[in-house]
Amino acid sequence: MTISTQTRDPHTVIDPAILYFGTPVVLVTSVNPDGSSNIMPMSSAFWLGHTGVLGIGARSQTAANLQRNLGCVLNLPSVDLVSDVDRLALTTGRQDVPAAKAERGYRYEPDKFARAGLTPLPSETVRAERIAECPVNLEAHVVDVHPVDDGILLFELQVSRVHVHDAIRLPGTDHRIDPDRWRPLIMSFQHFYGLGQRVHPSRLASIDEELYR
């Protein structure tokens, strides 16, 4: 599309502190040094094929756990789990709460499963536990770590096993999710949202998903 030089630019230049325009919430479960489980709620995540990328604060307990590379699980909550997820807000698995987090109101929580009222399940390919209530559990291993500015680490993960609730599967298929049944919890600028109804047919949907395998 060509915009005439006479067209008034409808944009304003701003400098937001965060750029969280809306991504799915992920509850990352990992293994603490004492063998207990940690759960970190986050939304700086995306997937390409069976590779996942997470952006995590370098001083978090989850970052330390992932660098020991015992595997993790990316548990994706649906909108009906929002209260459970919110109970994990402002908690950390580090006993020595980093000063920046303490200033924001974070506190140490040793048992996050109990705190959120969630149920642990054993995994099949990693040591980290899954969350029974989350409709999607993605078991994964760390394959690379990339430091970026401002104390953030990017973790590249390889998904090794996918578990889903039958309620979100596409009827008549073995390996597909029904996007009309799957309602992920979305974080946008620190607020919780859910998906609405499908707004328009997609040409990409005409491609058989198996061609991406």
Side-chain angles (χ1 to χ4, degrees), residues 6-7 14 18 23 47 53 57 88 93 105 113 117 119 128 144 148 168-169 171 175 181 185 187 199 209:
Q6 303 301 314
T7 301
I14 65 172
I18 56 176
T23 47
W47 291 264
V53 177
L88 293 171
F113 271 101
T119 309
D144 209 347
V148 296
I168 66 169
R169 294 176 60 192
H175 303 292
R181 295 183 176 191
L185 183 61
M187 174 67 72
V199 297
E209 279 190 18

Side-chain angles (χ1 to χ4, degrees), residues 41-94:
M42 54 92 72
S43 62
S44 299
F46 70 91
W47 291 264
L48 291 170
H50 280 66
T51 296
V53 177
L54 308 180
I56 299 176
R59 299 192 64 195
S60 69
Q61 186 62 46
T62 295
N65 290 347
L66 293 188
Q67 289 181 92
R68 289 170 40 245
N69 205 5
L70 301 176
C72 65
V73 183
L74 312 182
N75 302 275
L76 307 186
S78 56
V79 291
D80 59 321
L81 293 175
V82 62
S83 295
D84 309 74
V85 173
D86 198 44
R87 283 193 287 269
L88 293 171
L90 302 181
T91 65
T92 176
R94 283 190 57 167

Side-chain angles (χ1 to χ4, degrees), residues 162 164 169-170 172-178 209-210 213:
V162 179
V164 300
R169 294 176 60 192
L170 184 66
T173 69
D174 292 327
H175 303 292
R176 292 185 61 182
I177 303 299
D178 188 338
E209 279 190 18
E210 288 297 317
R213 186 175 297 279

Side-chain angles (χ1 to χ4, degrees), residues 1-212:
M1 180 179 68
T2 301
I3 299 178
S4 167
T5 56
Q6 303 301 314
T7 301
R8 179 183 177 276
D9 188 346
H11 304 88
T12 299
V13 175
I14 65 172
D15 184 20
I18 56 176
L19 297 174
Y20 296 160
F21 284 94
T23 47
V25 172
V26 182
L27 299 182
V28 183
T29 49
S30 60
V31 183
N32 293 319
D34 64 1
S36 62
S37 292
N38 187 53
I39 306 176
M40 183 187 71
M42 54 92 72
S43 62
S44 299
F46 70 91
W47 291 264
L48 291 170
H50 280 66
T51 296
V53 177
L54 308 180
I56 299 176
R59 299 192 64 195
S60 69
Q61 186 62 46
T62 295
N65 290 347
L66 293 188
Q67 289 181 92
R68 289 170 40 245
N69 205 5
L70 301 176
C72 65
V73 183
L74 312 182
N75 302 275
L76 307 186
S78 56
V79 291
D80 59 321
L81 293 175
V82 62
S83 295
D84 309 74
V85 173
D86 198 44
R87 283 193 287 269
L88 293 171
L90 302 181
T91 65
T92 176
R94 283 190 57 167
Q95 294 188 48
D96 55 332
V97 181
K101 283 193 170 183
E103 183 180 5
R104 298 171 190 170
Y106 280 77
R107 62 203 177 280
Y108 170 59
E109 175 52 67
D111 190 346
K112 294 191 180 180
F113 271 101
R115 170 75 183 180
L118 297 170
T119 309
L121 288 174
S123 294
E124 297 178 1
T125 65
V126 298
R127 284 182 54 187
E129 294 177 305
R130 297 182 288 129
I131 298 176
E133 291 80 3
C134 289
V136 180
N137 305 148
L138 306 175
E139 299 181 16
H141 292 87
V142 176
V143 296
D144 209 347
V145 184
H146 309 273
V148 296
D149 291 339
D150 301 323
I152 302 296
L153 297 176
L154 293 184
F155 288 88
E156 182 181 343
L157 309 172
Q158 185 66 34
V159 175
S160 54
R161 186 75 32 102
V162 179
H163 307 260
V164 300
H165 288 181
D166 282 340
I168 66 169
R169 294 176 60 192
L170 184 66
T173 69
D174 292 327
H175 303 292
R176 292 185 61 182
I177 303 299
D178 188 338
D180 288 324
R181 295 183 176 191
W182 169 224
R183 286 292 176 262
L185 183 61
I186 303 295
M187 174 67 72
S188 179
F189 289 99
Q190 302 188 93
H191 293 276
F192 292 118
Y193 294 88
L195 293 180
Q197 296 300 311
R198 193 181 308 186
V199 297
H200 193 278
S202 168
R203 294 180 184 177
L204 283 177
S206 66
I207 301 173
D208 187 343
E209 279 190 18
E210 288 297 317
L211 294 178
Y212 293 102

